[in-house]
Coordinates of all heavy atoms in Angstrom, one line a residue:
M4 N 61.5 3.5 76.5 CA 62.7 3.3 75.7 C 62.8 1.8 75.2 O 63.3 1.6 74.1 CB 63.9 3.8 76.5 CG 65.1 4.0 75.6 SD 64.7 5.4 74.5 CE 66.3 5.7 73.9
D5 N 62.3 0.9 76.1 CA 62.4 -0.5 75.7 C 61.5 -0.8 74.5 O 61.9 -1.5 73.6 CB 61.9 -1.4 76.9 CG 62.1 -2.8 76.6 OD1 63.2 -3.3 76.1 OD2 61.1 -3.6 76.8
T6 N 60.4 -0.2 74.5 CA 59.5 -0.3 73.3 C 60.1 0.2 72.1 O 60.1 -0.4 71.0 CB 58.1 0.4 73.6 OG1 57.6 -0.1 74.7 CG2 57.2 0.2 72.4
L7 N 60.8 1.4 72.2 CA 61.4 2.0 71.0 C 62.5 1.1 70.5 O 62.7 1.0 69.3 CB 62.0 3.4 71.4 CG 62.6 4.2 70.3 CD1 61.6 4.5 69.3 CD2 63.3 5.4 70.9
S8 N 63.3 0.5 71.4 CA 64.4 -0.4 70.9 C 63.9 -1.6 70.2 O 64.6 -2.2 69.4 CB 65.3 -0.8 72.1 OG 64.6 -1.6 73.0
R9 N 62.6 -2.0 70.4 CA 62.1 -3.2 69.7 C 61.5 -2.9 68.4 O 61.3 -3.8 67.6 CB 61.0 -3.9 70.6 CG 61.6 -4.6 71.8 CD 60.6 -5.4 72.5 NE 60.1 -4.5 73.6 CZ 58.8 -4.4 74.0 NH1 57.9 -5.1 73.5 NH2 58.5 -3.6 75.0
L10 N 61.4 -1.6 68.1 CA 60.9 -1.2 66.8 C 61.9 -1.4 65.7 O 63.1 -1.3 66.0 CB 60.5 0.3 66.8 CG 59.3 0.7 67.6 CD1 59.1 2.2 67.6 CD2 58.0 0.1 67.0
P11 N 61.5 -1.6 64.5 CA 62.5 -1.7 63.4 C 63.2 -0.4 63.2 O 62.7 0.7 63.6 CB 61.6 -2.0 62.1 CG 60.3 -2.4 62.6 CD 60.2 -1.9 64.0
W12 N 64.3 -0.4 62.6 CA 65.1 0.8 62.4 C 64.4 1.9 61.8 O 64.4 3.1 62.2 CB 66.4 0.5 61.6 CG 67.3 1.7 61.6 CD1 68.2 2.1 62.5 CD2 67.3 2.7 60.5 NE1 68.8 3.3 62.1 CE2 68.2 3.7 60.9 CE3 66.6 2.9 59.4 CZ2 68.5 4.8 60.1 CZ3 66.9 4.0 58.6 CH2 67.8 4.9 59.0
A13 N 63.6 1.6 60.7 CA 62.9 2.6 60.0 C 61.8 3.3 60.9 O 61.6 4.5 60.8 CB 62.2 2.0 58.7
A14 N 61.2 2.5 61.7 CA 60.2 3.1 62.6 C 60.9 4.0 63.7 O 60.4 5.0 64.1 CB 59.4 2.0 63.3
Q15 N 62.0 3.5 64.2 CA 62.8 4.3 65.2 C 63.2 5.6 64.5 O 63.1 6.7 65.2 CB 64.0 3.6 65.6 CG 63.8 2.4 66.5 CD 65.1 1.7 66.9 OE1 66.2 2.3 66.8 NE2 65.0 0.5 67.3
N16 N 63.6 5.6 63.3 CA 64.0 6.8 62.6 C 62.9 7.8 62.4 O 63.0 9.0 62.6 CB 64.6 6.4 61.2 CG 65.3 7.6 60.5 OD1 65.9 8.4 61.2 ND2 65.2 7.6 59.2
A17 N 61.7 7.2 62.1 CA 60.5 8.1 62.0 C 60.1 8.7 63.3 O 59.8 9.9 63.3 CB 59.3 7.2 61.4
V18 N 60.3 8.0 64.4 CA 59.9 8.5 65.7 C 60.9 9.7 66.0 O 60.5 10.8 66.5 CB 60.0 7.4 66.8 CG1 60.0 8.1 68.2 CG2 58.9 6.4 66.6
F19 N 62.2 9.5 65.8 CA 63.2 10.5 66.1 C 63.0 11.8 65.2 O 63.2 12.9 65.6 CB 64.6 10.0 66.0 CG 64.9 9.2 67.3 CD1 65.2 7.8 67.2 CD2 65.0 9.8 68.5 CE1 65.5 7.1 68.3 CE2 65.3 9.1 69.7 CZ 65.5 7.7 69.6
K20 N 62.6 11.5 63.9 CA 62.4 12.7 63.0 C 61.2 13.5 63.5 O 61.2 14.7 63.5 CB 62.1 12.2 61.6 CG 63.4 11.8 60.9 CD 63.1 11.5 59.4 CE 64.4 11.2 58.7 NZ 64.3 11.1 57.3
R21 N 60.2 12.8 64.0 CA 59.0 13.5 64.5 C 59.3 14.3 65.7 O 58.9 15.4 65.9 CB 57.9 12.5 64.8 CG 56.6 13.1 65.3 CD 55.9 14.0 64.2 NE 54.7 14.5 64.7 CZ 54.4 15.8 64.7 NH1 55.2 16.7 64.1 NH2 53.3 16.3 65.2
L22 N 60.1 13.7 66.6 CA 60.5 14.4 67.8 C 61.4 15.6 67.5 O 61.2 16.7 68.1 CB 61.3 13.5 68.7 CG 60.5 12.4 69.4 CD1 61.5 11.4 70.2 CD2 59.5 13.0 70.4
E23 N 62.2 15.5 66.5 CA 63.0 16.6 66.0 C 62.1 17.8 65.5 O 62.3 18.9 65.8 CB 64.0 16.2 64.9 CG 64.9 17.3 64.4 CD 65.8 16.8 63.3 OE1 65.5 15.8 62.7 OE2 66.8 17.5 63.1
E24 N 61.1 17.4 64.7 CA 60.1 18.4 64.2 C 59.4 19.1 65.4 O 59.3 20.4 65.3 CB 59.1 17.7 63.3 CG 59.7 17.2 62.0 CD 58.7 16.4 61.2 OE1 57.5 16.3 61.7 OE2 59.1 15.8 60.2
I25 N 59.0 18.4 66.4 CA 58.3 19.0 67.5 C 59.2 19.9 68.3 O 58.8 21.0 68.6 CB 57.8 17.9 68.4 CG1 56.6 17.1 67.8 CG2 57.3 18.4 69.8 CD1 56.2 15.8 68.5
A26 N 60.5 19.5 68.4 CA 61.4 20.4 69.1 C 61.7 21.6 68.4 O 61.8 22.7 69.0 CB 62.8 19.6 69.3
E27 N 61.8 21.6 67.0 CA 62.0 22.8 66.2 C 60.8 23.7 66.4 O 61.0 24.9 66.5 CB 62.2 22.4 64.8 CG 63.5 21.7 64.5 CD 63.7 21.2 63.1 OE1 62.7 21.4 62.3 OE2 64.7 20.7 62.8
V28 N 59.6 23.2 66.4 CA 58.4 24.0 66.5 C 58.3 24.7 67.9 O 58.0 25.9 68.0 CB 57.1 23.2 66.2 CG1 55.9 24.0 66.5 CG2 57.1 22.8 64.7
S29 N 58.6 23.9 68.9 CA 58.5 24.5 70.2 C 59.6 25.5 70.5 O 59.4 26.3 71.4 CB 58.6 23.3 71.3 OG 59.9 22.7 71.2
A30 N 60.7 25.5 69.7 CA 61.7 26.5 69.9 C 61.5 27.8 69.2 O 62.2 28.8 69.3 CB 63.1 25.9 69.5
M31 N 60.4 27.9 68.4 CA 60.1 29.1 67.6 C 59.6 30.2 68.5 O 59.0 30.0 69.6 CB 59.0 28.8 66.6 CG 59.3 27.8 65.5 SD 57.9 27.5 64.5 CE 58.6 26.4 63.3
T32 N 59.8 31.4 68.0 CA 59.3 32.6 68.7 C 57.8 32.6 68.4 O 57.3 31.9 67.6 CB 59.9 33.9 68.2 OG1 59.5 34.1 66.8 CG2 61.4 33.9 68.3
K33 N 57.1 33.5 69.1 CA 55.6 33.6 69.0 C 55.3 34.0 67.5 O 54.4 33.4 66.9 CB 55.0 34.6 69.9 CG 53.5 34.7 69.9 CD 53.0 35.6 70.9 CE 51.4 35.7 70.8 NZ 50.8 36.5 71.8
D34 N 56.0 34.9 67.0 CA 55.8 35.4 65.6 C 56.1 34.3 64.6 O 55.3 34.1 63.6 CB 56.6 36.6 65.3 CG 56.2 37.3 64.0 OD1 55.0 37.4 63.7 OD2 57.1 37.6 63.2
E35 N 57.2 33.6 64.8 CA 57.5 32.4 63.9 C 56.5 31.3 64.0 O 56.1 30.7 63.0 CB 58.9 31.9 64.3 CG 60.1 32.7 64.0 CD 61.4 32.2 64.6 OE1 61.3 31.5 65.6 OE2 62.4 32.4 63.9
R36 N 55.9 31.1 65.2 CA 54.9 30.1 65.4 C 53.6 30.4 64.7 O 53.0 29.6 64.1 CB 54.7 29.8 66.9 CG 53.7 28.8 67.2 CD 54.1 27.4 66.6 NE 53.0 26.5 66.7 CZ 53.0 25.5 67.5 NH1 53.9 25.3 68.4 NH2 51.9 24.6 67.5
I37 N 53.3 31.7 64.7 CA 52.0 32.2 64.0 C 52.2 32.0 62.5 O 51.3 31.4 61.9 CB 51.7 33.6 64.4 CG1 51.3 33.7 65.8 CG2 50.7 34.2 63.4 CD1 51.2 35.2 66.4
K38 N 53.4 32.3 62.0 CA 53.6 32.2 60.6 C 53.7 30.7 60.2 O 53.1 30.3 59.2 CB 55.0 32.8 60.2 CG 54.9 34.3 60.2 CD 56.3 34.9 59.9 CE 56.2 36.5 60.0 NZ 57.5 37.0 59.8
Y39 N 54.3 29.9 61.1 CA 54.3 28.4 60.8 C 52.9 27.8 60.8 O 52.6 27.0 59.9 CB 55.2 27.8 61.9 CG 55.2 26.3 61.9 CD1 55.9 25.5 60.9 CD2 54.3 25.5 62.7 CE1 55.9 24.1 60.9 CE2 54.3 24.2 62.7 CZ 55.1 23.5 61.8 OH 55.0 22.1 61.7
D40 N 52.1 28.2 61.8 CA 50.8 27.6 61.9 C 49.9 28.0 60.7 O 49.2 27.2 60.1 CB 50.1 28.1 63.2 CG 50.6 27.4 64.4 OD1 51.3 26.3 64.3 OD2 50.4 27.9 65.5
H41 N 50.1 29.3 60.2 CA 49.4 29.8 59.1 C 49.8 29.0 57.8 O 49.0 28.5 57.0 CB 49.6 31.3 58.8 CG 48.9 31.8 57.6 ND1 47.6 31.9 57.5 CD2 49.5 32.1 56.4 CE1 47.3 32.3 56.3 NE2 48.4 32.5 55.6
A42 N 51.1 28.8 57.6 CA 51.6 28.1 56.5 C 51.2 26.6 56.5 O 50.8 26.0 55.5 CB 53.2 28.1 56.5
L43 N 51.1 26.0 57.7 CA 50.7 24.6 57.8 C 49.2 24.6 57.5 O 48.7 23.6 56.8 CB 50.9 24.2 59.3 CG 50.6 22.7 59.6 CD1 51.5 21.8 58.7 CD2 50.9 22.4 61.0
K44 N 48.4 25.5 57.9 CA 47.0 25.6 57.6 C 46.8 25.7 56.1 O 45.9 25.0 55.5 CB 46.3 26.7 58.3 CG 44.8 26.8 58.0 CD 44.1 28.0 58.6 CE 42.7 28.1 58.3 NZ 42.2 27.9 57.0
V45 N 47.5 26.6 55.4 CA 47.4 26.7 54.0 C 47.8 25.4 53.3 O 47.1 25.0 52.4 CB 48.3 27.9 53.5 CG1 48.4 27.9 52.0 CG2 47.8 29.2 54.0
Y46 N 48.8 24.8 53.7 CA 49.2 23.5 53.2 C 48.1 22.5 53.3 O 47.8 21.8 52.3 CB 50.5 23.0 53.8 CG 50.9 21.6 53.5 CD1 51.4 21.3 52.2 CD2 50.7 20.6 54.4 CE1 51.7 19.9 51.9 CE2 50.9 19.3 54.1 CZ 51.5 18.9 52.9 OH 51.7 17.6 52.6
R47 N 47.6 22.3 54.5 CA 46.6 21.3 54.7 C 45.3 21.6 53.9 O 44.7 20.7 53.4 CB 46.3 21.2 56.2 CG 47.4 20.5 57.0 CD 47.1 20.5 58.5 NE 48.1 19.8 59.2 CZ 48.4 19.9 60.5 NH1 47.6 20.7 61.2 NH2 49.3 19.2 61.0
D48 N 44.9 22.9 53.9 CA 43.7 23.3 53.1 C 44.0 22.9 51.6 O 43.0 22.4 50.9 CB 43.4 24.8 53.2 CG 42.9 25.1 54.6 OD1 42.5 24.2 55.4 OD2 42.9 26.3 54.9
T49 N 45.1 23.2 51.1 CA 45.5 22.9 49.7 C 45.4 21.4 49.4 O 44.8 21.0 48.5 CB 46.8 23.5 49.3 OG1 46.9 24.9 49.6 CG2 47.2 23.2 47.9
L50 N 46.0 20.7 50.3 CA 46.0 19.2 50.2 C 44.6 18.7 50.2 O 44.2 17.8 49.4 CB 46.8 18.6 51.3 CG 47.1 17.1 51.2 CD1 47.9 16.8 49.9 CD2 47.9 16.7 52.4
N51 N 43.7 19.2 51.1 CA 42.3 18.7 51.2 C 41.6 19.1 50.0 O 40.7 18.3 49.5 CB 41.7 19.3 52.5 CG 42.1 18.6 53.7 OD1 42.5 17.4 53.7 ND2 42.0 19.3 54.8
T52 N 41.8 20.3 49.4 CA 41.1 20.7 48.2 C 41.5 19.8 47.1 O 40.7 19.4 46.3 CB 41.5 22.2 47.9 OG1 41.1 23.0 49.0 CG2 40.8 22.6 46.6
Y53 N 42.8 19.5 47.0 CA 43.3 18.6 45.9 C 42.7 17.2 46.0 O 42.2 16.7 45.1 CB 44.8 18.6 46.0 CG 45.4 17.5 45.0 CD1 45.5 17.8 43.7 CD2 45.8 16.3 45.5 CE1 46.0 16.8 42.8 CE2 46.3 15.3 44.7 CZ 46.4 15.6 43.3 OH 46.9 14.6 42.5
N54 N 42.7 16.7 47.2 CA 42.2 15.3 47.4 C 40.7 15.3 47.1 O 40.2 14.3 46.6 CB 42.4 14.9 48.9 CG 43.9 14.5 49.1 OD1 44.6 14.2 48.1 ND2 44.3 14.6 50.3
G55 N 40.0 16.4 47.5 CA 38.5 16.5 47.2 C 38.3 16.5 45.7 O 37.4 15.8 45.1
A56 N 39.2 17.2 44.9 CA 39.0 17.3 43.5 C 39.3 15.9 42.9 O 38.7 15.5 41.9 CB 40.0 18.4 42.9
V57 N 40.3 15.2 43.4 CA 40.6 13.9 42.9 C 39.5 13.0 43.1 O 39.1 12.2 42.2 CB 41.9 13.4 43.5 CG1 42.1 11.9 43.2 CG2 43.1 14.2 43.0
Q58 N 38.9 13.0 44.3 CA 37.7 12.1 44.6 C 36.5 12.5 43.7 O 35.9 11.6 43.2 CB 37.3 12.2 46.0 CG 38.3 11.6 47.0 CD 38.0 11.8 48.4 OE1 37.1 12.5 48.8 NE2 38.7 11.1 49.3
Q59 N 36.3 13.7 43.5 CA 35.2 14.1 42.6 C 35.5 13.7 41.2 O 34.5 13.2 40.5 CB 35.0 15.7 42.6 CG 33.9 16.1 41.8 CD 33.7 17.6 41.9 OE1 34.3 18.3 42.6 NE2 32.8 18.2 41.0
G60 N 36.7 13.8 40.7 CA 37.0 13.4 39.4 C 36.8 11.9 39.2 O 36.4 11.4 38.2
R61 N 37.2 11.1 40.2 CA 37.0 9.7 40.2 C 35.5 9.3 40.1 O 35.1 8.5 39.3 CB 37.6 9.0 41.4 CG 39.1 8.9 41.3 CD 39.6 8.1 42.5 NE 41.1 8.2 42.5 CZ 41.8 8.2 43.5 NH1 41.3 8.1 44.7 NH2 43.1 8.2 43.5
A62 N 34.7 10.0 40.9 CA 33.3 9.8 40.9 C 32.7 10.1 39.5 O 31.8 9.4 39.0 CB 32.6 10.6 42.0
E63 N 33.1 11.2 38.9 CA 32.6 11.6 37.6 C 33.0 10.6 36.6 O 32.2 10.2 35.7 CB 33.1 13.0 37.3 CG 32.4 14.1 38.1 CD 33.1 15.5 37.9 OE1 34.0 15.6 37.1 OE2 32.6 16.4 38.5
G64 N 34.3 10.1 36.7 CA 34.7 9.1 35.8 C 34.0 7.8 35.9 O 33.6 7.2 34.9
E65 N 33.7 7.4 37.1 CA 32.9 6.2 37.3 C 31.5 6.3 36.8 O 30.9 5.4 36.2 CB 32.8 5.8 38.8 CG 34.2 5.3 39.4 CD 34.1 5.1 40.9 OE1 33.0 5.1 41.5 OE2 35.2 4.9 41.4
Y66 N 30.9 7.5 36.9 CA 29.6 7.8 36.4 C 29.6 7.7 34.9 O 28.7 7.1 34.2 CB 29.1 9.1 36.9 CG 27.6 9.4 36.4 CD1 26.6 8.8 36.9 CD2 27.4 10.4 35.4 CE1 25.3 9.1 36.5 CE2 26.1 10.7 35.0 CZ 25.1 10.0 35.5 OH 23.8 10.3 35.1
E67 N 30.6 8.3 34.2 CA 30.7 8.3 32.8 C 30.9 6.8 32.3 O 30.3 6.5 31.3 CB 31.9 9.1 32.3 CG 31.6 10.6 32.5 CD 30.4 11.2 31.7 OE1 30.2 10.7 30.6 OE2 29.7 12.0 32.3
K68 N 31.7 6.0 33.0 CA 31.9 4.7 32.6 C 30.5 3.9 32.7 O 30.2 3.1 31.9 CB 32.9 4.0 33.5 CG 33.3 2.6 33.1 CD 34.4 2.1 34.0 CE 34.8 0.7 33.5 NZ 36.0 0.2 34.3
A69 N 29.8 4.1 33.8 CA 28.5 3.5 34.0 C 27.5 3.8 32.8 O 26.8 3.0 32.3 CB 27.9 3.8 35.3
L70 N 27.6 5.1 32.4 CA 26.8 5.5 31.3 C 27.2 4.8 30.0 O 26.3 4.4 29.2 CB 26.9 7.0 31.1 CG 26.2 7.9 32.1 CD1 26.5 9.4 31.8 CD2 24.7 7.7 32.1
A71 N 28.5 4.7 29.8 CA 28.9 4.0 28.6 C 28.5 2.5 28.6 O 28.0 2.0 27.6 CB 30.4 4.1 28.5
I72 N 28.6 1.9 29.7 CA 28.1 0.5 29.8 C 26.6 0.4 29.6 O 26.2 -0.5 28.9 CB 28.5 -0.1 31.2 CG1 30.1 -0.2 31.3 CG2 27.8 -1.4 31.5 CD1 30.6 -0.5 32.7
A73 N 25.9 1.3 30.2 CA 24.4 1.3 30.0 C 24.1 1.5 28.5 O 23.1 0.8 28.1 CB 23.8 2.4 30.9
R74 N 24.8 2.4 27.8 CA 24.5 2.5 26.4 C 24.7 1.2 25.7 O 23.9 0.8 24.8 CB 25.5 3.6 25.8 CG 25.0 5.0 25.9 CD 25.9 5.9 25.1 NE 25.9 7.2 25.8 CZ 26.8 7.7 26.7 NH1 27.8 6.9 27.0 NH2 26.6 8.8 27.2
N75 N 25.8 0.5 26.0 CA 26.1 -0.8 25.3 C 25.0 -1.8 25.7 O 24.5 -2.5 24.8 CB 27.5 -1.3 25.7 CG 28.6 -0.5 25.1 OD1 28.4 0.2 24.1 ND2 29.7 -0.6 25.8
L76 N 24.6 -1.9 26.9 CA 23.6 -2.8 27.3 C 22.2 -2.5 26.7 O 21.5 -3.4 26.3 CB 23.5 -2.9 28.8 CG 24.7 -3.4 29.6 CD1 24.5 -3.2 31.1 CD2 25.1 -4.8 29.2
K77 N 21.9 -1.2 26.6 CA 20.7 -0.8 25.9 C 20.7 -1.2 24.5 O 19.7 -1.7 23.9 CB 20.5 0.7 26.1 CG 19.2 1.2 25.8 CD 19.1 2.7 26.2 CE 17.7 3.2 26.0 NZ 17.6 4.7 26.4
T78 N 21.8 -1.0 23.8 CA 22.0 -1.4 22.4 C 21.8 -2.9 22.2 O 21.3 -3.4 21.2 CB 23.4 -1.0 21.9 OG1 23.5 0.5 22.0 CG2 23.6 -1.3 20.4
M79 N 22.3 -3.6 23.2 CA 22.2 -5.1 23.2 C 20.7 -5.6 23.5 O 20.5 -6.8 23.3 CB 23.1 -5.7 24.2 CG 24.6 -5.5 23.9 SD 25.7 -6.0 25.2 CE 25.3 -7.7 25.4
G80 N 19.9 -4.7 23.9 CA 18.5 -5.0 24.1 C 18.2 -5.5 25.5 O 17.1 -6.1 25.7
L81 N 19.0 -5.3 26.5 CA 18.7 -5.7 27.8 C 17.6 -4.8 28.4 O 17.4 -3.7 28.0 CB 19.9 -5.5 28.7 CG 20.7 -6.8 29.0 CD1 21.4 -7.3 27.7 CD2 21.7 -6.7 30.1
S82 N 16.9 -5.4 29.3 CA 15.7 -4.7 29.9 C 16.3 -3.5 30.8 O 17.4 -3.6 31.3 CB 14.9 -5.6 30.8 OG 15.6 -6.0 31.9
L83 N 15.4 -2.6 31.0 CA 15.8 -1.4 31.9 C 16.1 -1.9 33.3 O 17.1 -1.4 33.8 CB 14.6 -0.4 31.9 CG 14.8 0.9 32.6 CD1 15.9 1.7 32.0 CD2 13.5 1.6 32.7
T84 N 15.4 -2.8 33.8 CA 15.7 -3.3 35.2 C 17.1 -4.0 35.2 O 17.8 -3.7 36.2 CB 14.6 -4.4 35.6 OG1 13.3 -3.8 35.4 CG2 14.8 -4.9 37.0
D85 N 17.4 -4.8 34.2 CA 18.7 -5.4 34.2 C 19.9 -4.4 34.0 O 20.9 -4.5 34.7 CB 18.8 -6.4 33.0 CG 18.0 -7.6 33.3 OD1 17.7 -7.9 34.5 OD2 17.7 -8.4 32.3
I86 N 19.6 -3.3 33.2 CA 20.6 -2.3 33.1 C 20.8 -1.5 34.4 O 21.9 -1.2 34.8 CB 20.3 -1.3 31.9 CG1 20.2 -2.1 30.6 CG2 21.2 -0.1 31.9 CD1 19.7 -1.3 29.4
E87 N 19.7 -1.3 35.1 CA 19.8 -0.6 36.4 C 20.6 -1.4 37.4 O 21.5 -0.9 38.1 CB 18.4 -0.4 37.0 CG 17.6 0.7 36.3 CD 16.2 0.9 36.9 OE1 15.4 0.1 36.6 OE2 16.1 1.8 37.8
K88 N 20.4 -2.7 37.4 CA 21.1 -3.6 38.3 C 22.6 -3.7 37.9 O 23.4 -3.7 38.8 CB 20.5 -5.0 38.3 CG 19.2 -5.2 38.9 CD 18.6 -6.6 38.8 CE 17.2 -6.7 39.3 NZ 16.7 -8.1 39.1
A89 N 22.9 -3.7 36.7 CA 24.3 -3.9 36.2 C 25.1 -2.6 36.4 O 26.3 -2.7 36.7 CB 24.3 -4.3 34.7
T90 N 24.5 -1.4 36.3 CA 25.2 -0.2 36.3 C 25.0 0.6 37.6 O 25.9 1.5 37.9 CB 24.8 0.7 35.1 OG1 23.5 1.0 35.2 CG2 25.1 0.0 33.8
G91 N 23.9 0.4 38.3 CA 23.6 1.2 39.5 C 23.0 2.6 39.1 O 22.8 3.4 39.9
L92 N 22.8 2.8 37.8 CA 22.2 4.0 37.4 C 20.7 4.0 37.6 O 20.0 3.0 37.7 CB 22.4 4.3 35.9 CG 23.9 4.4 35.4 CD1 24.0 4.5 33.9 CD2 24.5 5.7 36.0
T93 N 20.1 5.2 37.6 CA 18.6 5.3 37.8 C 18.0 5.1 36.5 O 18.6 5.2 35.4 CB 18.3 6.7 38.3 OG1 18.6 7.7 37.3 CG2 18.9 7.0 39.6
E94 N 16.7 4.8 36.5 CA 15.9 4.7 35.3 C 15.9 5.9 34.5 O 16.0 5.9 33.2 CB 14.4 4.3 35.7 CG 13.5 4.1 34.6 CD 12.1 3.8 35.0 OE1 11.9 3.4 36.2 OE2 11.2 4.0 34.2
E95 N 15.8 7.1 35.1 CA 15.8 8.4 34.4 C 17.2 8.6 33.7 O 17.1 9.0 32.5 CB 15.7 9.5 35.4 CG 15.6 10.9 34.8 CD 15.5 12.0 35.8 OE1 15.1 11.7 37.0 OE2 15.8 13.1 35.5
A96 N 18.3 8.3 34.3 CA 19.6 8.4 33.6 C 19.7 7.5 32.4 O 20.2 7.9 31.3 CB 20.7 8.1 34.6
I97 N 19.2 6.3 32.5 CA 19.2 5.3 31.4 C 18.3 5.8 30.3 O 18.7 5.7 29.1 CB 18.9 3.9 31.9 CG1 19.9 3.4 32.9 CG2 18.8 2.9 30.7 CD1 19.5 2.2 33.7
N98 N 17.1 6.3 30.6 CA 16.2 6.7 29.6 C 16.7 7.9 28.8 O 16.3 8.1 27.7 CB 14.8 7.0 30.2 CG 14.1 5.8 30.5 OD1 14.2 4.8 29.9 ND2 13.2 5.9 31.6
Q99 N 17.6 8.7 29.4 CA 18.2 9.9 28.7 C 19.2 9.5 27.7 O 19.7 10.3 26.9 CB 18.7 10.9 29.7 CG 17.7 11.5 30.6 CD 18.3 12.5 31.6 OE1 19.5 12.6 31.8 NE2 17.4 13.2 32.3
L100 N 19.7 8.2 27.7 CA 20.7 7.8 26.8 C 20.2 7.7 25.4 O 19.1 7.3 25.1 CB 21.3 6.5 27.2 CG 22.0 6.5 28.6 CD1 22.4 5.1 28.9 CD2 23.2 7.4 28.6

């Protein structure tokens, strides 16, 4: 309790909210708990799917940006080796431009 009293108010509030959530879950009937656990799993799966899609979109965007930069560098007459170093693209990807 001494440690808790040294925490800032916002942190104390977060701790008590979490304890309240735990108490609510532990007071559920078996059937309510099964439904709650299922809903929580669906929520977490959805969140993970969304985060995975966001990360994949970022990676695709970064790749497209690297291709655009490589096109510009190729137009400027830079060597294949320099374009590879500047963009991180493979020789094959650059040659396809």
Side-chain angles (χ1 to χ4, degrees):
M4 198 63 172
D5 184 48
T6 303
L7 184 63
S8 66
R9 286 186 268 142
L10 290 173
W12 183 85
Q15 288 180 19
N16 192 31
V18 168
F19 283 114
K20 281 187 178 187
R21 181 67 181 129
L22 288 172
E23 181 182 21
E24 291 170 6
I25 292 169
E27 289 174 0
V28 171
S29 66
M31 292 178 180
T32 65
K33 184 177 181 178
D34 190 44
E35 289 173 330
R36 181 60 191 255
I37 291 169
K38 289 178 184 177
Y39 171 80
D40 288 341
H41 177 72
L43 188 59
K44 181 187 179 314
V45 169
Y46 167 75
R47 288 178 176 160
D48 289 348
T49 302
L50 190 60
N51 286 334
T52 301
Y53 172 77
N54 288 336
V57 167
Q58 288 176 350
Q59 181 179 354
R61 285 184 185 147
E63 290 171 2
E65 288 175 10
Y66 182 73
E67 291 299 320
K68 186 175 182 178
L70 288 175
I72 292 169
R74 275 189 209 94
N75 289 337
L76 296 175
K77 196 172 183 180
T78 302
M79 294 170 58
L81 262 66
S82 71
L83 185 63
T84 305
D85 289 339
I86 296 172
E87 286 179 279
K88 287 178 186 176
T90 63
L92 294 173
T93 63
E94 179 180 341
E95 182 182 343
I97 296 167
N98 284 330
Q99 291 178 356
L100 296 175

